[in-house]
Amino acid sequence: MTDRVYPAAKPAVNGGAANASFPATKAQLYGASRPTYRPQPYHHRRSRRRICCTICFWLILIILILLLIIGVAGAVVYLLYRPHSPSFTVTALKLSHFNLTSSTLNSKFDVNVTATNPNKKITFSYDPTTVSIFSGDVDVGDGTVAGFFHREKNITLLKASILRSGVALESADEAKLKSSMKSKSGLALTVKLETKVKGNMGKLKTPKVRIRVVCDGIRVTIPVGKKPVVGSTSNAKCDVNVRFKIWKWTVG
């Protein structure tokens, strides 16, 4: 009787089936599905840095060129037109009445302001101008002057009637006014003008800018009776300030 010969077990490959486990574990499945990490070549990172440096270089160069163009254009305009800011002077002030009773103020001023354009080739276009008179920080009168066109080498006279009628004052402002009214040298006043102006240089026109004119050194005595009193303006000095509005803030 012949013995049966069974085929030998197939040899295991690469470690054999002896180490294999069925079914596969979570660790084996995760390791099989995770992609192999391949570090990015160094030259790729270096190329990105070069691109960023190139962009920054061109941006800086463009900004410098624009600044140079603006500077050259400003120098040319200055040499051609020799621009100067307009000047203002309070030439006359008359006080008709100034009554302060029961914390209520009634006043009437007449003010003359001369505006001078010293430029030979530049004209100015003014919007309506608000005129206010202050004693210290207390507003004692307000008025308006119509807009006007200011020609080259021209002096324009602005006349304004400044009124304050039946305006109630706070107790602190009332005390300040009463103290100032007792001064022997008269009531110290400040005239303030605010408007917008645009410059015209041939066909070139500037954007409108806001200006504020502050004139100090004015004094007037309080009138007695119905006769108006002429104030002293010989020591009046006016400063012109350009005011730029940047978003919500005003500069100047």
Side-chain angles (χ1 to χ4, degrees), residues 132-166:
S132 302
I133 298 180
F134 288 81
S135 175
D137 57 355
V138 182
D139 189 347
V140 296
D142 300 285
T144 305
V145 176
F148 65 98
F149 182 74
H150 210 180
R151 297 189 177 277
E152 307 92 333
K153 286 291 184 178
N154 179 262
I155 298 176
T156 302
L157 177 61
L158 309 177
K159 295 183 177 182
S161 293
I162 312 299
L163 302 172
R164 197 79 167 168
S165 179

Side-chain angles (χ1 to χ4, degrees), residues 16-64:
N19 296 329
S21 60
F22 298 95
T25 63
K26 291 184 178 180
Q28 291 173 334
L29 291 175
Y30 177 75
S33 61
R34 184 171 60 182
T36 304
Y37 171 74
R38 295 179 180 179
Q40 189 177 14
Y42 175 74
H43 70 275
H44 286 177
R45 296 196 297 269
R46 187 168 56 184
S47 298
R48 290 183 180 178
R49 289 180 181 177
R50 287 180 179 177
I51 293 172
C52 292
C53 291
T54 303
I55 293 174
C56 292
F57 170 78
W58 282 108
L59 285 177
I60 294 173
L61 182 61
I62 292 172
I63 292 173
L64 292 176

Side-chain angles (χ1 to χ4, degrees), residues 5 18 38 56 64 87 116 124 130 140 160 174 203 235 251:
V5 178
R38 295 179 180 179
C56 292
L64 292 176
S87 60
T116 303
F124 296 104
T130 59
V140 296
E174 180 185 7
K203 294 183 179 180
N235 295 324
V251 181

